[in-house]
Amino acid sequence: QMQLVESGGGLVQAGGSLRLFCAASGPTFNTYAVAWFRQAPGKEREFVAGKSWTDSDTKYAGSVKGRFTISRDNANNTVYLQMKSLKAEDTAVYYCAAQKYGASRYAVSEYSYWGQGTQVTVSS
């Protein structure tokens, strides 16, 4: 039902910024919790940021809090991840995820819909 497509990844220098986009298709986008996860080579997929479907709760991983901002534009069915002060440790494939009537949750298993991922590489 819900289709997610990420874009905006690329190569940036440490300290730089990048904005990721997640284009969502499907009905009632505003009823889905959304989140960003990332996965570096050899590591498990980890939570980065998420918003409950009501937008009443927003969570960030401690490693990105203060640097990354998740937002959504329901009118355009888009989720954003604004990344600033990027570090080499932020290098990973970033995935957009969604869950119908979901809360902002950390676990991969809590999300039913996933995009294909977009690569973010931070040089150091």
Side-chain angles (χ1 to χ4, degrees):
Q1 183 189 47
M2 176 64 69
Q3 303 292 324
L4 304 171
V5 180
E6 303 94 334
S7 63
L11 175 65
V12 297
Q13 293 182 319
S17 63
L18 203 62
R19 194 179 195 190
L20 303 184
F21 303 79
C22 175
S25 62
T28 60
F29 170 70
N30 64 328
T31 66
Y32 288 79
V34 295
W36 287 94
F37 287 76
R38 67 186 182 187
Q39 187 167 23
K43 295 185 178 181
E44 295 182 345
R45 191 168 299 184
E46 65 176 2
F47 176 85
V48 175
K51 297 178 73 67
S52 60
W53 75 274
T54 61
D55 259 2
S56 62
D57 186 38
T58 302
K59 290 187 174 70
Y60 293 95
S63 59
V64 307
K65 196 169 187 177
R67 299 189 297 120
F68 291 10
T69 302
I70 183 172
S71 61
R72 65 189 299 167
D73 183 350
N74 289 336
N76 292 300
N77 280 22
T78 305
V79 186
Y80 306 91
L81 184 67
Q82 179 66 57
M83 306 185 293
K84 298 180 179 179
S85 300
L86 284 162
K87 305 174 181 179
E89 304 92 275
D90 295 318
T91 295
V93 175
Y94 284 70
Y95 298 89
C96 180
Q99 177 65 35
K100 182 79 168 179
Y101 296 126
S104 179
R105 299 174 179 175
Y106 297 111
V108 168
S109 62
E110 297 292 341
Y111 296 87
S112 298
Y113 304 95
W114 294 86
Q116 83 289 346
T118 185
Q119 178 71 49
V120 172
T121 302
V122 184
S123 63
S124 63

